[in-house]
């Protein structure tokens, strides 16, 4: 989100708070509840260049958030219960479901002790190549290279491109440009591009993957906790819209199969990688049902409604921006007041 849009959005949320809209519209306006989406949980860093800061929250913020959710009388529930409430009559209290994408190691190091102490359920969406240390987290490679270099050379569209990055602003602009380009690539082209970048700038991709993401032993520890739901996010975390339908269906089915074999249990829930409107299509919603998933979540913001009005294989989530530390603004988002009413839709 552009900086100007971010602050305009924040102003709108502040106005909603001060005008009392979350309470004037009443509880029914906010549907049954919301699914919150987080990625990384780790202490704040001092570096000026942090292009992925919006995807991180601090342990202190997670602790404050859970305490606030309890104080605000939300029901904290898991994904199985989300699916139940989405097709039944409204409950007296609205819910919040906590979800974490990517299976980052810092969730285990910094997040799990807090979640466990509060005894709240949560869901982890796992791309199954990453626990094996063979995933290709190109967004982290991009961050690492741009952070330490003053000039970046790489091949784009078959031509050598050269970028001089003298300032933090230059680095952010280049990250935005290259992130958009890499997200548009087909899997083979993306793998070639990220491996070329690693070779040019001496980045050990496997080491980066092993250091950043949980391994199977970490995930087994989480899976042993009855409050934790282990869910799937494909094998390699590709943008599904960049794949042919057969390849997309295979990614979804294989991610589920690998996780089921690893944990010896059924995997009922799925997250579309990246999950925005450009990342998946209507056909992938049908694939999620055909693969046997009870639910599939996006990163399209919104609330989960009752009476089956929200498609269980296209569930909205509120992705929290880690640059914002205001629980007041979270309270407005959780009220559902800033989202349009859910239109009745048939489940896939």
């Amino acid at each position: 989100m552009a900086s100007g849009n971010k602050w305009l959005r924040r102003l709108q949320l502040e106005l909603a708070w001060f005008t009392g809209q979350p309470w004037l519209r009443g509880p029914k306006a906010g549907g049954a509840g919301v699914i919150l989406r987080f990625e990384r949980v780790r202490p704040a860093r001092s570096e000026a260049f942090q292009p992925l800061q919006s995807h991180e929250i601090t342990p202190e913020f997670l602790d404050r958030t859970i305490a606030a959710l309890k104080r605000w009388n939300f029901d904290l529930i898991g994904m199985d219960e989300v699916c139940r409430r989405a097709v039944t009559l409204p409950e007296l209290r609205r819910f919040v479901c906590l979800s974490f994408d990517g299976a980052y190691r810092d969730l285990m190091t910094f997040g799990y002790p807090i979640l466990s102490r509060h005894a709240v359920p949560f869901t982890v969406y796992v791309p199954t190549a990453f626990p094996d240390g063979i995933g290709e987290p190109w967004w982290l490679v991009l961050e690492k290279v741009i952070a330490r270099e003053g000039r970046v050379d790489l091949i784009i569209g078959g031509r050598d491109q050269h970028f001089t990055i003298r300032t933090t602003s230059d680095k952010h602009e280049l990250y935005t440009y290259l992130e958009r380009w890499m997200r548009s690539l087909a899997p083979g082209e993306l793998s070639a591009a990220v491996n070329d970048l690693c070779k040019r700038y001496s980045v050990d991709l496997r080491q980066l993957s092993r250091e950043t993401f949980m391994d199977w032993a970490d995930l087994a520890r989480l899976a042993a906790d009855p409050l934790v739901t282990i869910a799937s996010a494909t094998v390699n975390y590709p943008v599904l819209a960049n794949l042919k339908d057969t390849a997309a269906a295979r990614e979804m089915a294989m991610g589920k199969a690998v996780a089921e074999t690893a944990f010896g249990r059924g995997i009922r829930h799925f997250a579309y990688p990246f999950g925005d409107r450009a990342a998946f299509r209507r056909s992938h919603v049908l694939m999620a049902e055909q693969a046997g998933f009870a639910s599939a979540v996006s990163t399209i913001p919104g609330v989960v409604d009752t009476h089956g009005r929200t498609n269980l294989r296209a569930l909205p989530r509120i992705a929290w921006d880690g640059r914002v530390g205001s629980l007041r603004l979270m309270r407005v988002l959780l009220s559902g007041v800033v989202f349009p009413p859910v239109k009745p839709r048939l489940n896939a």
Side-chain angles (χ1 to χ4, degrees), residues 191-262:
S191 183
V194 70
N195 280 280
D196 177 56
L197 203 57
C198 288
K199 183 177 180 181
R200 288 175 186 247
Y201 296 101
S202 302
V203 175
D204 188 329
L205 186 56
R206 289 206 170 193
Q207 181 180 355
L208 179 63
S209 184
R210 287 193 297 269
E211 290 175 350
T212 308
F213 298 93
M214 284 187 266
D215 58 23
W216 290 112
D218 293 325
L219 289 166
R221 180 183 167 197
L222 286 181
D225 188 332
L227 290 174
V228 180
T229 299
I230 301 294
S232 176
T234 70
V235 178
N236 298 296
Y237 211 70
V239 175
L240 293 176
N242 293 344
L243 275 62
K244 294 182 179 179
D245 282 353
T246 52
R250 183 167 58 250
E251 274 281 347
M252 296 166 74
M254 284 300 296
K256 185 175 190 292
V258 171
E260 288 180 337
T261 299

Side-chain angles (χ1 to χ4, degrees), residues 20-31 94 334-337:
Q21 291 182 48
W23 301 274
L24 291 174
R25 285 183 62 184
K28 291 184 180 179
R94 296 177 65 243
L334 296 180
S335 74
V337 70

Side-chain angles (χ1 to χ4, degrees), residues 138 182-185 187 190 237-243 273-274 278-280:
W138 55 266
M182 295 183 88
R183 263 201 58 166
S184 71
L185 298 176
L190 178 58
Y237 211 70
V239 175
L240 293 176
N242 293 344
L243 275 62
F274 302 98
F280 71 103

Side-chain angles (χ1 to χ4, degrees), residues 55-185:
H55 301 266
E56 303 174 5
I57 59 171
T58 64
E60 294 78 15
F61 183 78
L62 178 61
D63 193 23
R64 289 173 54 218
T65 296
I66 296 172
L69 293 173
K70 291 179 175 180
R71 188 168 64 249
W72 295 333
N73 292 319
F74 283 98
D75 287 337
L76 291 163
I77 65 174
M79 279 305 302
D80 286 336
E81 180 66 5
V82 169
C83 292
R84 188 191 71 80
R85 293 199 186 193
V87 298
T88 59
L89 295 174
E91 303 278 340
L92 290 176
R93 302 202 312 185
R94 296 177 65 243
F95 71 77
V96 170
C97 176
L98 304 177
S99 68
F100 296 84
D101 285 5
Y104 287 93
R105 187 180 295 276
D106 44 51
L107 172 61
M108 173 62 78
T109 305
F110 300 108
Y112 184 53
I114 295 168
L115 293 155
S116 182
R117 173 164 51 82
H118 281 282
V120 294
F122 64 97
T123 300
V124 181
Y125 291 99
V126 181
T128 54
F130 290 83
D132 285 323
I134 58 173
E136 297 184 344
W138 55 266
W139 55 95
L140 298 180
V141 173
L142 205 55
E143 178 188 38
K144 191 178 186 72
V145 170
I146 294 174
R148 74 185 187 192
E149 301 295 334
R151 174 187 167 104
V152 173
D153 304 327
L154 71 166
I155 298 173
I156 299 178
R159 297 175 56 189
D160 275 315
Q161 301 287 318
H162 314 285
F163 304 93
T164 300
I165 40 178
R166 296 188 176 91
T167 67
T168 300
S169 178
D170 291 340
K171 290 177 182 288
H172 278 286
E173 288 181 13
L174 181 59
Y175 185 91
T176 299
Y177 172 72
L178 293 180
E179 188 268 347
R180 187 179 298 119
W181 168 65
M182 295 183 88
R183 263 201 58 166
S184 71
L185 298 176

